[in-house]
Amino acid sequence: MTNPRPSMVAVMAAALPAAIATLAVVVFAVFELFGHTLFSQGPDRNLAEAAAMGRLSEVVRLLAAGEDPNQIVTVRPHVISSSVTRVTALEASVWHRSVAQMALFDRAGSVTSPATRQHLMCLAADLRVDEIVHYYAAGQPPDCVPEQALTMIVARSQQPTGGAR
Amino acid sequence: MTRWTWLSYAYAAAVVFAIGYCLIDVPVQVSDSYGNLVQATGGTFGSVVASQFHARAFLRPFLWAHIRVVYDLSGGHYFEWFRGWHVGQVAVLVLLFLRLLRPRRLVDAAAVPIGLAALIGMHTFAGTVREAFPINAYMTILICCFLAADLALGAPRWWRDVAAAALFVFAVLSVESGLLVAVVLVAAFAAGARGVSSRGVAAIVALVAGYFLLRFVILDVGTPALSERSSGFGFSTREPDALIAMFGGSAIPFYAYNVLSSLLTVLLSEPRGGVWVATRDLVHGELSFMPLLNLTASALAMVTLAIHLWRRRGEWWGRRFDRGDQLLIVFAAVLVANSVISYAYTKDVILSPAGAFFGCALAVAVAGLLETTQTATARRLVAAGLLLVALSTTWGMRAVSAHVGLRRSAAATRNEWAIVDEWLEREHLVPSTALAAHLKRELHDQAITKHPARPALTASWVERLSDD
C-alpha cells in the first residue's frame, strides 16, 4: 500500500472540528471535576432554588437533609425573576408550575397549615397555574384577592434581607 | 504500530473519557431497570437463567445472566457497578472501532475524529447509553458485532472459528439482534476476509438454523405481536389499536414501511422511530436546529460515501477488496439485515449496529477522500476541504449533542427516583418482598443522596443541541 502525503489543509479540515468538539467536552468535564460547571449557574443554593427549577431529586435530597420548605430564603434573580428573590420553597415551587412537585411537598408534610394552602392556591391563581389551583381548591372555587399573594412576595423581595439566607 | 496509531488511540481515550464522564452520572433507571433487577435476583442464578428459556415472545437468557452476574459482583454498590460496567463497555466498543479501522497512516488518523463522532453522535447510539435494563443489551450487541468483524478481518487462525461460534451463541441468546453477528461474519467472508474460515462460517450458518429451530419449534417462544406496541407511521406514533385498524387485514405494507424507515434513518437520520419528524416540522414551518443539523450531517456523509464508492468502483468491479472495502460491505450487509429484522417494530436503538458500522464506513470514506487530495487540482482541493470541514463540524456537534442528552437523561432519571413510590403504585409494581423493598431504598438513596444531581446547564445553546 502506498503512503500518501495528503494536503495538510484537508487533513486539518477533516480532523480539527470534530476533535475540537471532543476537546470541548473534555475541558467541560475537567472543569466540573474541579468544582466549576461551565454553562451553568452552579449548584442550587437552597431548597427554594431547586423547587423553582423543578429539580425534583434535589428537592427530595434537601428536604431529607432538613431544609425547611416554609422558610423564606433568597434565590438568585435568574431562578424566578429579578423582582422575586425572597420566597419559601413552597412558593418557588408554584413558579415551576408542576402539580407533581406540589404533591411531593404535600406528601413530605411540608404544607403544614390551611393558611399556607390558601396562600399557595392564591399565588397559583395570580400566576394562572390552573392545575395547581385545582389541586389545592379540591373542586371549590378559589377564595382569593387577585394579585395579593404575588404582590406580597414582590414587596418582600424589595425589602432589605438583613442577613437572611 | 505507527505514531498515527498511537495518536488515534490517545484521541480515542479522550473520547471515552468524555462520554464516560457523562455516562457515569446516569443512575440505574426506575422504569425497565428496577423491575428487571427484582426479577433477576428472585432465585438462584441457574433458575433465573433457566426460566428465560420458557419466556413468551423473547429469548434472552444470557442478558439475564449478565444482569445477575453484575448484580452479584456489585456487593450492593449498584450505581457504581452497573454504570461502571456500562462505561467499560463503551471503552471496549471504541477500542474495537479503532482495531477495525487500523489507523496507521496520517489519512487514517485524520479520519478517526469524524468516525468516532459519527459512532457517538449517531441518533441510533443514544439508546445504547441513555437507557439500561440495567445492562444495555444493545450496547452488548454492538460490541459483539465489532468483535465479530475483528475476528473476521484478522489473519486466519483456528481459534477464530471457535470464538466466532461462541460469540454468536452469546449474542443471539442475549437479545434477538444478536443474529447480526452472523451477518457480519458471512458478509466479511463474502468480501474476502478469511479470519474466520469457510468451515467456521458454515458452522455459524448451522447455528443460525439451530437458533430458529430452538426458538420456534422446540421452545415455541414466538415473536411479539403487532398488537403489543405502539409504532411510528407517517407524521405520528400510532397506538396498537390504530395500527391494527390500518393494517389488520395485511401487515405486509406496515412491515415494508418499517424496513424502509429503518434503512433511511441510518442513512439520512430521518424518519425517527418511523415518524418523519423533520419533514413534519418542515411542512409546519417549525423545523428546529437539531433535526436540521442531523439531516445536514447525514447528507454530507452520504456525499462522502458516494465519492468514495465512485472512486473505488474499478476495484469493486474486479472484486479486489481492501480492508476499507470489506468494512463498507459489512456495513451494507448489516444495514440491510438490521432493517429487515426491524420489520415488526422500528426504533432508533434497534438500528444501533448499523449505525455503529456507519461510523466505520464514514471513517473509511473520509480517509479515501483525504488520499485523493495529494493529486487534486486546486478547485477539487477547495471542494474537498469545504466538504470535510462541514462534515467534521456537523458530526462534531452531533457528538456534543449526545453528551448533552446524557446529562439530561441523568437529571430525568433522578427525578423519576424522586417520585418512585407514585410510579410504582401506578404501574402496580409496589415491592412485595423485603429484598425488593431494600433494593428500591438502596437505588433511591444512591440516585438522590450518594450521587446527587450535577448542576443544570442553563446556556441557551444546550437547549438547541438537545435531540430528545
Side-chain angles (χ1 to χ4, degrees):
Chain A
M1 188 173 285
T2 59
N3 188 18
R5 300 173 73 181
S7 155
M8 286 310 290
V9 173
V11 166
M12 292 299 162
L16 273 187
I20 287 170
T22 298
L23 186 65
V25 180
V26 169
V27 167
F28 172 87
V30 170
F31 265 80
E32 190 161 58
L33 284 171
F34 282 94
H36 182 68
T37 304
L38 301 172
F39 313 115
S40 89
Q41 304 287 345
D44 303 321
R45 292 187 180 166
N46 49 46
L47 181 57
E49 288 201 353
M53 304 290 278
R55 284 158 60 80
L56 286 175
S57 68
E58 283 298 274
V59 167
V60 169
R61 186 177 72 84
L62 294 169
L63 277 174
E67 285 210 26
D68 180 0
N70 288 288
Q71 185 182 358
I72 296 169
V73 295
T74 301
V75 297
R76 291 169 290 173
H78 73 271
V79 174
I80 297 174
S81 80
S82 56
S83 58
V84 178
T85 55
R86 301 269 301 147
V87 287
T88 68
L90 288 169
E91 290 167 346
S93 186
V94 177
W95 261 280
H96 185 61
R97 315 175 86 86
S98 158
V99 173
Q101 187 167 271
M102 300 309 299
L104 189 153
F105 276 116
D106 248 352
R107 281 191 304 276
S110 305
V111 184
T112 51
S113 69
T116 305
R117 210 175 180 81
Q118 173 75 11
H119 171 64
L120 294 173
M121 181 176 67
C122 293
L123 178 60
D126 290 347
L127 296 175
R128 293 173 180 79
V129 190
D130 292 343
E131 295 84 355
I132 295 179
V133 173
H134 293 147
Y135 175 77
Y136 282 123
Q140 302 296 316
D143 180 18
C144 301
V145 178
E147 302 296 319
Q148 189 182 50
L150 180 59
T151 305
M152 185 189 84
I153 293 169
V154 172
R156 180 205 295 157
S157 299
Q158 287 166 354
Q159 291 169 359
T161 58
R165 290 166 64 196
Chain B
M1 298 276 271
T2 68
R3 60 183 164 144
W4 303 116
T5 312
W6 287 110
L7 185 64
S8 300
Y9 278 90
Y11 179 77
V15 169
V16 171
F17 170 76
I19 195 88
Y21 176 76
C22 296
L23 179 54
I24 202 79
D25 183 43
V26 183
V28 173
Q29 287 167 275
V30 180
S31 55
D32 290 339
S33 288
Y34 171 66
N36 283 1
L37 268 177
V38 171
Q39 194 177 338
T41 53
T44 62
F45 177 87
S47 67
V48 167
V49 174
S51 68
Q52 290 303 314
F53 281 98
H54 305 289
R56 293 290 95 190
F58 300 104
L59 182 60
R60 301 172 176 178
F62 286 176
L63 169 62
W64 291 85
H66 199 160
I67 294 171
R68 180 57 184 261
V69 166
V70 179
Y71 173 85
D72 286 344
L73 286 171
S74 74
H77 299 283
Y78 311 117
F79 188 110
E80 293 84 353
W81 269 84
F82 279 102
R83 208 46 73 226
W85 194 267
H86 209 159
V87 172
Q89 286 189 308
V90 171
V92 170
L93 183 75
V94 170
L95 179 74
L96 288 168
F97 183 87
L98 282 197
R99 278 184 61 84
L100 291 178
L101 289 180
R102 210 180 264 179
R104 289 179 176 164
R105 306 166 300 166
L106 171 60
V107 289
D108 304 326
V112 165
I114 292 181
L116 282 173
L119 176 74
I120 303 289
M122 189 75 170
H123 60 286
T124 55
F125 185 79
T128 69
V129 283
R130 288 193 205 172
E131 300 172 359
F133 319 109
I135 294 292
N136 191 302
Y138 296 106
M139 174 59 76
T140 306
I141 296 307
L142 292 192
I143 293 171
C144 290
C145 286
F146 273 9
L147 206 48
D150 190 55
L151 287 170
L153 268 59
R157 297 282 186 277
W158 67 266
W159 57 263
R160 288 180 190 270
D161 293 358
V162 179
L167 185 67
F168 173 77
V169 171
F170 172 77
V172 82
L173 292 180
S174 288
V175 68
E176 287 71 14
S177 48
L179 282 166
L180 294 172
V181 165
V183 174
V184 170
L185 293 165
V186 172
F189 187 84
R194 292 292 178 267
V196 175
S197 70
S198 56
R199 277 186 300 180
V201 171
I204 294 295
V205 172
L207 283 171
V208 171
Y211 170 76
F212 284 112
L213 188 69
L214 178 73
R215 178 170 183 134
F216 294 108
V217 179
I218 298 172
L219 298 175
D220 194 21
V221 172
T223 57
L226 183 63
S227 59
E228 288 181 23
R229 289 177 175 141
S230 54
S231 188
F233 188 84
F235 283 174
S236 63
T237 299
R238 317 283 173 136
E239 293 304 316
D241 290 346
L243 290 172
I244 290 169
M246 288 172 75
F247 298 104
S250 169
I252 300 296
F254 176 63
Y255 293 157
Y257 174 84
N258 282 340
V259 172
L260 186 63
S261 294
S262 300
L263 271 169
L264 291 176
T265 198
V266 174
L267 298 175
L268 298 174
S269 302
E270 174 81 347
R272 300 283 294 270
V275 180
W276 294 76
V277 180
T279 311
R280 179 191 64 197
D281 293 351
L282 185 65
V283 167
H284 294 158
E286 300 167 350
L287 186 59
S288 55
F289 180 72
M290 270 316 292
L292 182 62
L293 175 68
N294 291 340
L295 283 171
T296 308
S298 292
L300 292 168
M302 292 307 295
V303 170
T304 309
L305 282 165
I307 292 171
H308 182 72
L309 288 173
W310 178 254
R311 199 176 65 83
R312 298 284 302 166
R313 66 190 184 285
E315 282 76 10
W316 281 53
W317 190 250
R319 293 184 58 82
R320 296 184 297 275
F321 302 130
D322 65 14
R323 189 180 177 87
D325 297 328
Q326 289 169 340
L327 278 171
L328 283 166
I329 289 167
V330 169
F331 160 61
V334 171
L335 174 62
V336 171
N338 207 168
S339 301
V340 169
I341 65 172
S342 301
Y343 72 96
Y345 170 58
T346 181
K347 187 180 171 190
D348 288 349
V349 71
I350 299 175
L351 277 303
S352 55
F357 279 106
F358 176 87
C360 289
L362 184 57
V364 168
V366 168
L369 185 58
L370 285 171
E371 276 186 67
T372 66
T373 60
Q374 185 191 15
T375 54
T377 60
R379 185 180 292 182
R380 286 194 173 189
L381 190 59
V382 169
L386 288 174
L387 172 62
L388 288 168
V389 82
L391 185 73
S392 187
T393 302
T394 49
W395 280 102
M397 290 171 78
R398 285 185 75 165
V400 172
S401 169
H403 295 83
V404 170
L406 273 173
R407 182 93 176 189
R408 292 166 69 95
S409 287
T413 303
R414 279 195 177 80
N415 285 348
E416 285 176 9
W417 277 111
I419 50 172
V420 63
D421 289 328
E422 293 69 43
W423 187 84
L424 291 173
E425 274 174 31
R426 208 169 49 242
E427 300 291 319
H428 308 294
L429 290 171
V430 176
S432 56
T433 65
L435 179 64
H438 170 76
L439 189 59
K440 189 205 78 177
R441 267 196 313 275
E442 276 297 312
L443 290 170
H444 177 273
D445 289 350
Q446 290 177 14
I448 304 277
T449 312
K450 291 181 185 164
H451 302 278
R454 292 172 178 170
L457 303 184
T458 50
S460 58
W461 65 263
V462 173
E463 193 62 37
R464 294 179 71 196
L465 271 185
S466 297
D467 191 24
D468 296 331

